[in-house]
Amino acid sequence: QGLSTTPAREARIRELYDARRRLTDELESLGEPTPRRQIRRLYEAFNARDAAAVAEVLSEDVVYEDLLLGDTTICRGKEAFERALEWHPAFVGSKLALPLGELDVVVDQVACDGETSVGVEWHVEWNSKRIPLGRGLSLATLDDQGKLNRVVDICEAPWRTVGLVVRPILSAFGALSAGLAAFGLLHAGLII
């Protein structure tokens, strides 16, 4: 648009981003199903253990996939997703009124294109305390009616616990190896 100077270009870019934020905020205030609003509604409904409210934000042909667990977690369709929720530990515990404490998915950050896709960084808390290896990322897309039609999750891998246990041992071994190597080189007269 003929913006020859860098400050003018940067100012215009800031204007456009501000306009996008204002539009998104206004759409949400009018109750429009923006990606950011829908993903927050999904997690709020999950935390309330309200499967019907979860289903309300999903398209009939939604596809859900947990990348950590693979093919066994792919749910095709709203009904399949609802059935899967029935067996989620948080929902089972709530249904049976088991004293398991409060398990919540807390949304840390949301990034979206403002139209059809949204990315979320989240963590899991039990009784308001973060649980180890409880962080994750989700990507979701919306259909033309503003319903979530694809949700993909990935959380920290439980086998990371092996790394957490083994790392101090490897670090100690590495320091010991480096010390022995230096001693060997010193002894051989290669380090003065």
Side-chain angles (χ1 to χ4, degrees):
Q1 292 204 359
L3 300 176
S4 57
T5 64
T6 303
R9 182 178 185 277
E10 289 175 7
R12 180 64 180 144
I13 290 170
R14 271 193 310 277
E15 278 178 32
L16 292 170
Y17 280 120
D18 288 344
R20 178 190 284 172
R21 269 190 293 280
R22 283 192 308 274
L23 285 170
T24 298
D25 290 345
E26 187 172 343
L27 286 168
E28 288 180 1
S29 74
L30 295 171
E32 283 299 302
T34 64
R36 181 173 66 186
R37 183 169 186 262
Q38 293 298 76
I39 201 71
R40 286 194 182 278
R41 285 181 63 201
L42 174 77
Y43 288 114
E44 288 166 3
F46 178 88
N47 289 339
R49 309 302 177 259
D50 187 344
V54 168
E56 192 177 298
V57 299
L58 303 175
S59 69
E60 289 299 325
D61 60 346
V62 66
V63 176
Y64 171 83
E65 182 177 3
D66 183 324
L67 294 179
L68 182 65
L69 301 175
D71 292 347
T72 60
T73 62
I74 295 176
C75 297
R76 296 183 192 286
K78 187 189 293 192
E79 287 182 28
F81 193 88
E82 285 181 278
R83 281 194 308 273
L85 282 180
E86 288 178 25
W87 295 103
H88 190 282
F91 279 73
V92 170
S94 179
K95 231 186 275 186
L96 298 176
L98 298 174
L100 299 176
E102 193 65 34
L103 180 75
D104 290 314
V105 178
V106 178
V107 174
D108 296 316
Q109 209 169 66
V110 176
C112 66
D113 68 0
E115 294 179 27
T116 60
S117 63
V118 59
V120 182
E121 180 181 357
W122 48 264
H123 71 274
V124 178
E125 291 183 357
W126 183 53
N127 293 330
S128 301
K129 291 184 175 78
R130 289 177 90 118
I131 65 168
L133 302 174
R135 297 180 310 148
L137 301 170
S138 299
L139 176 66
T141 56
L142 271 63
D143 65 11
D144 294 342
Q145 286 75 46
K147 301 285 188 177
L148 296 169
N149 65 352
R150 180 149 173 79
V151 181
V152 180
D153 284 336
I154 182 73
C155 63
E156 289 183 284
W159 48 82
R160 269 196 64 214
T161 56
V162 173
L164 295 174
V165 170
V166 172
R167 185 183 345 190
I169 296 166
L170 292 177
S171 295
F173 181 73
L176 178 64
S177 295
L180 290 174
F183 178 76
L185 293 175
L186 177 66
H187 190 347
L190 297 175
I191 296 179
I192 298 177

